[in-house]
Amino acid sequence: MSKLTTLAKPVDMSGGFKDFFDTIGLTGGGLVTKGIAAVIAIIAVRMLLQLSSDPKGALQKGSFAVGTLFVAVILALYGDTLFSTVTDAKG
């Protein structure tokens, strides 16, 4: 007799996007924050690729690009926590 193995429990997705985002652990605001961080990271990488041959200008633009990339990484990691204090404020 065959023995069936359940790989995953069934999930009711009748609520649409809200149910989907709950299963992956993101809220709508968290998804927007990750999207903004991704756009900032793309801008930072583009800035790094467009460095000039002038050493002083390249150092200045490169450090600015690395700082922008750092902001994007921090926003991707902790953005939902940072912005939850703004959206959950009670007045």
Side-chain angles (χ1 to χ4, degrees):
M1 184 161 191
S2 70
K3 192 175 181 181
L4 296 176
T5 304
T6 304
L7 295 177
K9 66 177 185 169
V11 178
D12 180 25
M13 293 282 186
S14 61
F17 283 115
K18 182 183 180 315
D19 289 336
F20 172 71
F21 291 134
D22 287 343
T23 59
I24 61 173
L26 279 178
T27 60
L31 187 65
V32 170
T33 305
K34 301 278 190 225
I36 292 170
V39 169
I40 292 173
I42 290 170
I43 291 170
V45 169
R46 185 171 178 259
M47 289 168 57
L48 279 172
L49 294 175
Q50 291 183 343
L51 293 179
S52 63
S53 60
D54 174 38
K56 185 178 178 184
L59 183 62
Q60 185 178 12
K61 288 181 181 179
S63 62
F64 188 67
V66 168
T68 305
L69 191 59
F70 177 75
V71 168
V73 168
I74 294 299
L75 187 62
L77 292 175
Y78 303 111
D80 53 346
T81 307
L82 292 171
F83 293 124
S84 70
T85 58
V86 176
T87 57
D88 294 340
K90 305 278 191 243

